[in-house]
Amino acid sequence: MAKILMKGNEAIAAAAIKGGCKFFFGYPITPQNELPEYMARELHKTGGCFVQAESEVAAINMVYGAAGAGARVMTSSSSPGIALKQEGISYIAGAELPCVIVNISRGGPGLGGIQPAQADYFQNTRGGGNGDYRLLVYAPATLQEAVDLTMEAFDAADYYRNPVVISGDGMIGQMMEPIEFKEPKKRDLSPKDWATDGTKGEREPNIINSLALDPAELEKHNIRLQEKYDLMEKNEVRYEAYNMENAEVVIVAYGTTSRVVKNAIAALKEEGINVGLIRPITLWPYPMKAFDQIPHTTKALLCVEMSMGQMIDDVKIANKGRLPVHFYGRSGGMVPAPDEIVGKVKEILGGER
Amino acid sequence: MTAVFERTNGLKDLPTHYCPGCTHGIIHRLVGEVLEELNLLGKAIGVAPVGCSVLAYDYFNCDMHEAAHGRAPAVATGIKRVHKDAAVFTYQGDGDLASIGAAEIVHAAHRGEKITTIFVNNAIYGMTGGQMAPTTLIGQKATTAPFGRDKNHSGMPLRVSEMLATITGAVFVERVSVDTPANIRKAKKAIKKAFEVQMAGQGFGIVEVLSTCPTNWGLSPIEALGWLRENMIPYYPLGNFRTPQEVK
Ligand SMILES: Cc1ncc(C[n+]2csc(CCOP(=O)(O)OP(=O)(O)O)c2C)c(N)n1
Ligand code: SF4
């Protein structure tokens, strides 16, 4: 298929429909509005349905109902909207239902701004909803990757009966790039015989539920959920290791920021400085094992984010105390320039050059 | 021998956890009978609330989905949009529907969502131990209104049926009570109509059922029925607020 030029939000929406998404429930918030708008235009053509909910709280609970009813369903929002969805996300994870949630994040805290930021790392990877639950979180760096991951996300969600998050920022949502819709990786999926689609008098009633008043039963449920999350950690980790050979510094960055870092790496190369990049594609499960492959030439790690340093905790855990960990971040919707990263790398290597 | 009274197949053969004399059980039974009589059990998908009826998903003999506090109408919306022919209903208390879930019920009605809501108004938060609800009457004592509800402090009790009857999408709105056998029969009729309206694709239907909470009202079951009659019905008048012509 030929490549077509699309805006990020629309490309993700189109990919979702190609991935089998039939239902979409959302509420407007910048910078993700083109996504629900695209769904409003297109979803009915597939026999599916778009509903503009009265709030993010309602939207995620509509997703909860539709997912329980056995449909492929999606919602999207941006930071403060995702904050409101956390209640429903916890219930959906607790009831083990599949859905896809897109967070085209912006600067915070609070109402914050509308420019791209990565300050929702904790929100996406640690939750904000109550209880022990985990989400599979994809962080695309290009629109092609956003499209590929969105198409795969529905199968992944069905496979694990778990919400999958597409974590993009305002830049991913708003920019245009050529993309191609390829056949996504398919998984072997079991029939949704647990869904609330009416017994038709042919089976015992199905119950979708996240309540377990007996503590022993709830603990058992949590242990079983954890086993599922362990399986995700074993099988779903994705990352890119870039320019790692003889790297003096290894930068860790994801999404939009990783693209700026790649430009900085090219500029540093011209000055004879070798810098590598570990780019997590799954923010959870985090690519801990990527850090075991850091070359002996590496003197330090540098975590670069559009936040005040939320991923640095994971970098430190993955690094296991082996190398000094530095941080460079911009916040509030400021995107770091390659020069700034070049400067930071030189500062780290300062004493030695 | 001819059976004159049998258990309904609309409910599973299980004991409920409700307090002695609580009318939640009667209301369950009415919904179960209606679903059975309209032959909807195979098509029914119920949404249980948070509140004393949180375990309703265990009692109804059809597919059930448990929702977060107040969100049942949104969950039901998601279900109904997927299964257009299903008989989707929510069963909600007054704290659930009129307080935390006020936006969800107003907008489900506003969209004309083709679902049926059974709204159990007992003028108090039962499950959490007798706190004030939006429906608690003036002067009525609750653990968070220890001196009785004061209008100047907490506002007047919310009349949900009257409020929803102003919304175009709410095509069937009726308030009933389960304090006497005659009222129970009327309640069943209203519940049946609300489901018929849904299945005819006419829009959103709600039946507000005045119910007792002997435990948190601190009354015997018999006294509680009397208290409902003397205090609730005068402020929450029984009757139909909206019915589409075709199903009258
Ligand atoms: C988000 C959230 N807030 C509060 C609660 C606690 N809670 C459980 S039941 C309930 C009140 C329910 O009252 P009502 O809907 O009137 O039903 P009843 O118990 O009287 O039948 C509350 C506040 C909760 N479970 N979730
Ligand atoms: S607390 Fe009140 S509403 Fe709840 S079961 Fe007991 S009597 Fe019924």
Side-chain angles (χ1 to χ4, degrees), chain B residues 87-191:
Chain B
V88 180
F89 68 98
T90 71
Y91 186 103
Q92 301 177 258
D94 48 87
D96 193 83
L97 182 143
S99 194
I100 190 168
E104 282 78 7
I105 197 66
V106 164
H107 286 276
H110 177 54
R111 282 189 302 272
E113 214 59 65
K114 291 162 193 69
I115 61 172
T116 302
T117 290
I118 311 300
F119 168 42
V120 180
N121 180 359
N122 58 14
I124 205 153
Y125 282 19
M127 189 194 218
T128 40
Q131 296 85 4
M132 183 179 66
T135 48
T136 295
L137 296 174
I138 295 299
Q140 182 186 343
K141 284 191 177 152
T143 58
T144 49
F147 314 109
R149 185 184 184 137
D150 172 2
K151 172 188 160 203
N152 291 320
H153 187 73
S154 309
M156 290 294 282
L158 194 62
R159 290 190 179 108
V160 169
S161 289
E162 286 82 343
M163 175 177 78
L164 292 183
T166 66
I167 298 175
T168 315
V171 296
F172 185 84
V173 183
E174 187 158 321
R175 185 184 287 121
V176 298
S177 169
V178 286
D179 62 315
T180 64
N183 276 343
I184 291 172
R185 274 194 293 277
K186 280 189 203 152
K188 181 172 170 184
K189 244 175 142 177
I191 292 169

Side-chain angles (χ1 to χ4, degrees), chain A residues 163-198:
Chain A
V164 176
V165 174
I166 308 289
S167 161
D169 56 58
M171 189 76 92
I172 297 277
Q174 293 298 320
M175 71 183 173
M176 291 183 88
E177 277 185 329
I179 47 155
E180 190 184 348
F181 293 102
K182 296 173 261 182
E183 264 306 301
K185 176 176 136 194
K186 290 257 182 252
R187 300 182 195 238
D188 274 338
L189 300 175
S190 333
K192 296 185 174 180
D193 52 12
W194 43 262
T196 48
D197 49 6

Side-chain angles (χ1 to χ4, degrees), chain B residues 17-19 22-24 52 122 126-127 212-216:
Chain B
H17 67 283
Y18 297 110
C19 304
C22 174
T23 41
H24 261 304
C52 280
N122 58 14
M127 189 194 218
T212 63
C213 180
T215 301
N216 287 302

Side-chain angles (χ1 to χ4, degrees), chain A residues 210-225:
Chain A
S210 69
L211 177 71
L213 289 170
D214 173 2
E217 196 190 312
L218 183 52
E219 185 181 49
K220 231 192 312 178
H221 178 57
N222 273 309
I223 290 170
R224 219 174 40 68
L225 284 179

Side-chain angles (χ1 to χ4, degrees), chain B residues 179 212 221-231:
Chain B
D179 62 315
T212 63
I222 301 283
E223 288 167 346
L225 292 172
W227 193 89
L228 184 161
R229 253 189 311 276
E230 281 151 37
N231 299 282

